[in-house]
Amino acid sequence: MSTEKIPYKIYLTEDEMPRAWYNVRADMKVKPAPLLNPGTGKPMGFEDLTPVFCDELVRQELDNDTAFFEIPEHIRDFYKMYRPSPLVRAYCLEEKLQTPAKIYYKFEGNNTSGSHKLNSAIAQAYYAKEQGLTGVTTETGAGQWGTALSMACAYLGLDLKVFMVKCSYEQKPFRREVMRTYGASVTPSPSDTTAVGRRILEQFPGTAGSLGCAISEAVEVATSTPGYRYVLGSVLNQVLLHQSVIGLETKAALEKYGVVPDMIIGCAGGGSNLGGLIAPFMGEKLRGERDYQIIAVEPKSCPSFTRGTFAYDFCDTGMVCPLAKMYTLGSSFMPNPDHAGGLRFHGMSSTLSQLYHDGYMEARAVSQTDVFEAAEYFARVEGILPAPESSHAIRVAIDEAIKCKETGEEKTIVFGLTGTGYFDLVAYEKFHNGEMKNYIPSDEEIAASVAKLPKVE
Ligand SMILES: *Cc1c(COP(=O)(O)O)cnc(C)c1O
């Protein structure tokens, strides 16, 4: 154990950066349930998935046994442009809270796309390019994934078509322009350019769109355009695999100073940053080597873990995607338009869902104004303007640090600060003007969409 004072920022050298991603499924006794073909109800194999996804990514998706996947050198070189990301000791926050807790955060906002999503975007674009494809399609909600992928595709010379949830397309023109700067074409979803988009528009005229709708459109275009595949920025096993770089770096940085966390906290939309952050720690927990308290934080307006059902469901509203077994609010669940804090997906990663189901992690839901209060507090104390999504984790980290103050416990808390909030200032404006509402869906509302879950034996 080092006796040096722990610096404000712990960086790894380039040589200390991970050379392989870690696949937590290899250490799970109960593996996440397989994706099912929505037509036949049968598990989807390599041949079923490769018309939609790149070959190597399908291999990663289906592999529940290989613990480490080497990170190709080209991807490691790209990572070096913005990684390793700093692990920050939040001395200022600890001081302000007067807590005996020791707080660390892993900051993933230090790249133009402003979030962790670039870690998987570059990997997915790389495998598409290696396969000789000309382009990829995807959806984006708030815009971070689309931005990250447009950067990765520009770097590798791949075409990119993005379907952007209509309300974001209209509310976030700057995000859209960043994507176009990197050469992506951006279409508001639902659109009349796809059959599924036209069907959704007919069913829900004037809809502001949802991630689920945009996924359906992007998949349709990918499967009907030669040389194209579809890529997804969260939820899938492969995305959690790539994001393990976050957790591997965090663990290596902590080990440099002999620090062992008690508690690891992350926000959960589809589960990719949290899955990545906790991966190597969860591995130790699964192998019985060490115990950690792991907390997923989600919005009360879209509470997949805390109020959802563990069942097979569609990943998209158009019901064209494979079925995944996960905690879900039902694929027809649409978060209230007043919800501005991101993390709007109706389901959750199958891997995290299984781990949660088996008691390896817990979940908390927080309300929107509490999240923005924490965001503002954090910005004033630690300087970084956080993304609303990330601020869910900040909220619970602060709550836990305050508990430590009351009990006198010197817990070590690590949380994921997934990104910056410069493109979310309309939401901040609502908060500052006192116009932000805390919408919480009723039991009836959730029951109605859960009642539409597909019947699977
Ligand atoms: C997309 C995003 C999230 C949520 O996605 P996960 O897949 O759950 O990680 C969280 N924070 C930021 C900044 C994001 O862009």
Side-chain angles (χ1 to χ4, degrees):
M1 166 132 187
S2 169
T3 51
E4 278 171 77
K5 176 177 159 147
I6 291 166
Y8 275 72
K9 289 201 184 81
I10 309 176
Y11 280 104
L12 300 175
T13 64
E14 283 183 8
D15 286 344
E16 291 168 328
M17 284 172 66
R19 303 180 75 83
W21 294 300
Y22 167 63
N23 177 13
V24 74
R25 286 169 284 158
D27 284 308
M28 289 169 69
K29 278 177 211 83
V30 184
K31 307 291 183 191
L35 295 170
L36 297 185
N37 180 315
T40 64
K42 297 241 158 39
M44 296 191 82
F46 185 77
E47 277 81 26
D48 304 307
L49 290 166
T50 45
V52 180
F53 300 107
C54 306
D55 295 358
E56 181 56 31
L57 293 167
V58 171
R59 277 185 208 106
Q60 296 178 357
E61 189 64 29
L62 297 175
D63 192 330
N64 286 337
D65 305 305
T66 306
F68 289 95
F69 285 81
E70 193 186 317
I71 307 174
E73 195 179 347
H74 207 63
I75 299 177
R76 274 192 282 133
D77 287 343
F78 184 85
Y79 277 170
K80 284 175 193 166
M81 290 199 287
Y82 69 101
R83 309 198 68 81
S85 70
L87 180 71
V88 184
R89 174 73 185 269
Y91 282 118
C92 300
L93 182 61
E94 291 169 20
E95 170 73 26
K96 181 82 178 174
L97 291 169
Q98 287 289 301
T99 175
K102 298 176 179 66
I103 310 173
Y104 295 83
Y105 57 90
K106 180 71 168 162
F107 181 46
E108 291 290 320
N110 261 339
N111 68 77
T112 297
S113 74
S115 81
H116 66 284
K117 293 205 170 66
L118 196 52
N119 302 332
S120 183
I122 187 62
Q124 298 195 42
Y126 171 83
Y127 292 117
K129 188 75 184 176
E130 282 291 287
Q131 199 177 320
L133 300 175
T134 48
V136 290
T137 69
T138 197
E139 76 296 331
T140 197
Q144 288 98 323
W145 168 244
T147 310
L149 190 64
S150 64
M151 287 174 71
C153 287
Y155 179 75
L156 294 165
L158 266 183
D159 290 337
L160 169 61
K161 295 183 201 295
V162 180
F163 286 88
M164 186 169 187
V165 177
K166 192 182 272 167
C167 61
S168 296
Y169 184 89
E170 285 159 3
Q171 286 166 11
K172 299 191 169 186
F174 298 144
R175 272 273 177 221
R176 188 178 76 211
E177 290 317 310
V178 177
M179 286 185 255
R180 290 175 60 190
T181 300
Y182 287 96
S185 85
V186 188
T187 307
S189 165
S191 76
D192 59 8
T193 66
T194 64
V196 66
R198 289 189 290 273
R199 202 178 77 217
I200 292 168
L201 282 173
E202 219 165 89
Q203 241 179 318
F204 308 96
T207 173
S210 72
L211 265 185
C213 298
I215 294 175
S216 306
E217 291 203 88
V219 170
E220 181 181 319
V221 172
T223 50
S224 58
T225 313
Y228 268 71
R229 290 294 185 282
Y230 165 72
V231 295
L232 179 61
S234 183
V235 185
L236 296 175
N237 295 330
Q238 55 188 272
V239 185
L240 269 72
L241 174 71
H242 307 144
Q243 294 297 355
S244 69
V245 70
I246 304 174
L248 292 163
E249 280 185 10
T250 301
K251 195 152 187 295
L254 289 171
E255 280 170 1
K256 268 188 159 182
Y257 291 89
V259 177
V260 180
D262 297 296
M263 189 183 281
I264 305 165
I265 301 168
C267 64
S272 75
N273 87 82
L274 179 66
L277 174 67
I278 66 176
F281 302 98
M282 183 61 87
E284 287 183 318
K285 194 164 162 145
L286 288 163
R287 295 189 301 270
E289 296 163 10
R290 210 166 232 160
D291 199 18
Y292 303 97
Q293 187 181 6
I294 295 173
I295 308 175
V297 191
E298 60 185 14
K300 278 194 175 164
S301 52
C302 194
S304 328
F305 267 139
T306 51
R307 294 176 67 198
T309 302
F310 189 42
Y312 268 104
D313 193 11
F314 290 96
C315 294
D316 62 326
T317 318
M319 305 183 183
V320 297
C321 286
L323 300 174
K325 190 174 181 193
M326 57 187 174
Y327 279 86
T328 178
L329 297 164
S331 65
S332 63
F333 181 84
M334 298 250 184
N336 188 279
D338 284 336
H339 172 65
L343 311 173
R344 303 167 61 96
F345 189 59
H346 64 272
M348 186 56 65
S349 137
S350 291
T351 301
L352 291 190
S353 291
Q354 189 64 51
L355 290 167
Y356 178 68
H357 189 72
D358 293 341
Y360 288 101
M361 52 188 277
E362 36 190 291
R364 282 194 210 157
V366 290
S367 63
Q368 183 157 247
T369 49
D370 290 344
V371 167
F372 277 82
E373 213 171 81
E376 191 181 75
Y377 188 89
F378 184 82
R380 291 180 188 179
V381 177
E382 285 286 322
I384 294 170
L385 179 74
E389 292 89 344
S390 324
S391 306
H392 288 72
I394 298 176
R395 173 75 270 164
V396 170
I398 290 178
D399 290 347
E400 289 297 324
I402 292 171
K403 269 188 218 160
C404 288
K405 184 176 169 179
E406 287 156 6
T407 61
E409 284 174 292
E410 291 182 27
K411 283 191 184 165
T412 296
I413 301 171
V414 173
F415 73 89
L417 187 65
T418 50
T420 48
Y422 303 117
F423 289 102
D424 303 286
L425 291 172
V426 172
Y428 273 89
E429 181 187 28
K430 269 196 189 148
F431 174 69
H432 294 142
N433 290 345
E435 293 158 357
M436 184 165 272
K437 297 194 189 92
N438 283 319
Y439 181 80
I440 298 173
S442 65
D443 289 343
E444 292 71 31
E445 201 177 320
I446 292 176
S449 59
V450 163
K452 290 186 215 145
L453 287 178
K455 303 280 170 286
V456 175
E457 293 313 307

